[in-house]
Amino acid sequence: MSKDSVLSNAVPGEKRPLGIYIHIPFCIRKCLYCDFLSAPSDEAAREAYVKALLSEIRAQAPLYADYCVETVFFGGGTPSLLTEGQAAAVLDGLYQRFSFVPEKKREITLEANPGTLTAEKLRSWRASGINRLSIGLQSAHDDELKALGRIHTWKEFLVGYEEARRAGFSNLNIDLMSALPGQSVASWMDTLKKTADLKPEHISAYSLIIEEGTPFYEWYGQKEDAGPGSGTDPSKTERHPSRPERKPLPSEEEDRLMYEKTGEFLKERGYGRYEVSNYARPGYICRHNLSYWERTDYAGFGLGAASLRENVRWNNTADMAEYLAHAGEEGDDTVIKKERICLDRRGQMEEFMFLGLRKTEGVSADAFRSLFGEELETVYAEPAKRLAREGLLARSRKENGEIFFRLTQKGIDVSNYALAMFLF
């Protein structure tokens, strides 16, 4: 079935919008900082997983008869490990069973590792309906990539990037990471410049977080306040012979300077920040990610995938054997669905605030009133006043009279503290 075959029953405006997330839990090898649900695999394991994924899609699709899909996001892991036929099969399974908005209005993203891109894959993905790639560059410096355990080089990234353009991709995101081992402010700015010179439509710029359970945590995270500037001395821990030299992390001051310069530089190059760590040229914000921050319903398929439907959240099982055995079972209470949370009114308010305030636009007081029948400034009077006094929260009125609350630059700098104030 073609990607346009379901348009006859997709009536925009009559069905609720839906995003779909597809988790591909495979990679060539784990990066040293990665705590995502992923692991190396062989072709047989990937083929078995795709079959289970298609079974889950078939079984769960009837629950979404009242929805119309606007965005799809293949995340991982490394979704670009999929063969041309596997990616097309998953999309075909979605096209057959879900209503979609017209093709020109869809956003279908696939995350890609530069070390796995081929011209054949890129052409096939584009032909199957994928119209946005998110390419994980992280750094333009090979020594920094090696320190992260990445499988690609800067030159390999450039080849993949140009092949993506030749394949017809006109919406490309590049993922970057700052505060890396051995990284200086100068090398970070060089990465930003080289990336912006390529003129991608979107840039995601994150600061490295040391996550428990990763090799980086063993090396850098022994202190409770581990992270950039934690003071951990990697030279005093035993070096594994198969791992790269452990270089020190940048100081907290260097990390903060990298963050500040990122916003300034990308603004000069025409990229507007619309979320704490995301920048886009006009018209190219990531609609799928924006739907998370605005709490639009989404269906997650695959190992460990998260879903939100009618204020109920759940995650799929993270156990591969359990997933493969039960992914095709029908109904809303299958064994693969775990950690189900029914959000009450208070929980919905909390999410409205701490997710919405990630956006640089902030949250709308009018939207809050429309959803909950109460005034935002009444429900959150104390935290709003306190954060305003501390210079972390600002109130503004648009030309149409709509009132917004947003984090200031200072508030974004301490966003974890600021957002926690909106939890009851």
Side-chain angles (χ1 to χ4, degrees):
M1 182 175 290
S2 76
K3 60 180 180 292
D4 287 318
S5 59
V6 297
L7 293 184
S8 60
N9 67 348
V11 184
E14 294 186 7
K15 294 190 175 186
R16 291 175 286 179
L18 183 72
I20 290 179
Y21 175 77
I22 305 291
H23 189 67
I24 307 299
F26 305 120
C27 54
I28 291 179
R29 75 167 182 237
K30 291 281 284 187
C31 294
L32 300 174
Y33 59 89
C34 178
D35 73 330
F36 294 155
L37 183 57
S38 62
S41 64
D42 57 24
E43 181 55 41
R46 294 196 288 272
E47 188 63 30
Y49 181 78
V50 169
K51 289 181 179 178
L53 193 57
L54 290 171
S55 294
E56 184 190 4
I57 290 170
R58 285 194 296 271
Q60 299 301 311
L63 300 173
Y64 299 93
D66 294 332
Y67 290 84
C68 193
V69 178
E70 296 185 350
T71 66
V72 178
F73 196 101
F74 286 79
T78 305
S80 51
L81 273 180
L82 295 179
T83 66
E84 297 93 313
Q86 289 169 337
V90 173
L91 277 173
D92 196 52
L94 294 175
Y95 293 143
Q96 290 182 44
R97 292 168 177 83
F98 286 84
S99 295
F100 274 75
V101 296
E103 185 176 3
K104 290 184 178 180
K105 296 183 179 181
R106 303 174 198 168
E107 177 190 272
I108 303 181
T109 303
L110 184 139
E111 288 185 335
N113 186 306
T116 62
L117 294 177
T118 66
E120 294 75 20
K121 281 185 178 181
L122 289 161
R123 287 195 295 268
S124 173
W125 294 337
R126 188 65 195 90
S128 68
I130 296 169
N131 56 17
R132 183 177 184 272
L133 285 185
S134 180
I135 307 176
L137 168 59
Q138 314 312 348
S139 171
H141 296 266
D142 289 347
D143 59 334
E144 295 174 359
L145 292 173
K146 184 177 180 180
L148 290 173
R150 301 290 288 177
I151 65 171
H152 69 276
T153 64
W154 166 245
K155 287 185 178 180
E156 288 171 333
F157 162 79
L158 288 176
V159 171
Y161 184 88
E162 293 303 324
E163 288 287 0
R165 288 300 196 197
R166 281 192 286 271
F169 284 94
S170 58
N171 190 356
L172 295 178
N173 170 60
I174 297 179
D175 270 346
L176 301 176
M177 191 176 292
S178 63
L180 307 181
Q183 188 179 58
S184 66
V185 175
S187 68
W188 168 243
M189 294 308 297
D190 184 64
T191 286
L192 274 182
K193 181 180 184 305
K194 287 178 177 176
T195 300
D197 285 346
L198 294 171
K199 299 181 179 179
E201 286 67 35
H202 190 286
I203 294 175
S204 297
Y206 302 97
S207 179
L208 172 67
I209 298 176
I210 306 299
E211 300 286 5
E212 192 170 356
T214 66
F216 269 17
Y217 187 80
E218 297 176 18
W219 303 348
Y220 302 109
Q222 300 305 311
K223 295 174 64 176
E224 187 174 330
D225 60 344
S230 66
T232 305
D233 185 353
S235 67
K236 294 182 180 179
T237 54
E238 182 181 358
R239 179 182 176 186
H240 192 289
S242 66
R243 292 171 179 166
E245 177 187 357
R246 284 163 282 183
K247 300 179 180 179
L249 295 171
S251 67
E252 291 182 5
E253 292 74 18
E254 289 173 314
D255 180 34
R256 175 53 47 205
L257 189 56
M258 290 178 193
Y259 180 79
E260 292 174 354
K261 284 183 171 291
T262 298
E264 296 169 0
F265 176 81
L266 291 179
K267 182 178 181 179
E268 292 173 357
R269 298 297 291 266
Y271 293 89
R273 183 169 67 180
Y274 66 96
E275 190 268 346
V276 172
S277 301
N278 286 278
Y279 304 78
R281 290 165 53 188
Y284 289 97
I285 63 173
C286 179
R287 290 163 46 208
H288 184 86
N289 285 342
L290 192 64
S291 72
Y292 291 151
W293 304 319
E294 295 183 342
R295 301 187 70 252
T296 301
D297 283 357
Y298 57 91
F301 297 106
L303 192 70
S307 301
L308 170 67
R309 184 165 65 88
E310 296 178 349
N311 289 309
V312 178
R313 289 192 178 277
W314 67 86
N315 292 329
N316 281 357
T317 178
D319 182 285
M320 180 63 84
E322 190 173 53
Y323 179 78
L324 293 176
H326 299 284
E329 295 181 359
E330 296 184 4
D332 194 34
D333 295 309
T334 64
V335 70
I336 69 166
K337 296 185 185 300
K338 306 289 186 181
E339 302 174 14
R340 189 185 302 271
I341 299 175
C342 297
L343 293 168
D344 59 15
R345 190 162 173 273
R346 176 174 293 185
Q348 295 169 40
M349 287 181 176
E350 289 180 347
E351 287 197 350
F352 180 93
M353 297 301 293
F354 70 72
L355 291 175
L357 284 171
R358 290 186 60 88
K359 301 181 296 177
T360 54
E361 179 186 56
V363 295
S364 165
D366 291 357
F368 188 93
R369 183 190 312 111
S370 176
L371 285 170
F372 304 114
E374 294 187 63
E375 297 296 330
L376 187 158
E377 292 176 88
T378 300
V379 175
Y380 289 107
E382 289 306 314
K385 290 176 181 177
R386 177 174 173 177
L387 291 173
R389 285 196 304 269
E390 296 175 2
L392 306 180
L393 188 73
R395 181 182 187 275
S396 60
R397 185 187 296 271
K398 291 193 171 184
E399 291 183 0
N400 63 1
E402 191 173 5
I403 295 173
F404 276 79
F405 288 84
R406 61 174 177 80
L407 295 182
T408 64
Q409 181 58 57
K410 183 180 177 182
I412 291 174
D413 291 346
V414 291
S415 58
N416 287 341
Y417 163 76
L419 296 178
M421 297 289 289
F422 293 97
L423 301 179
F424 288 102

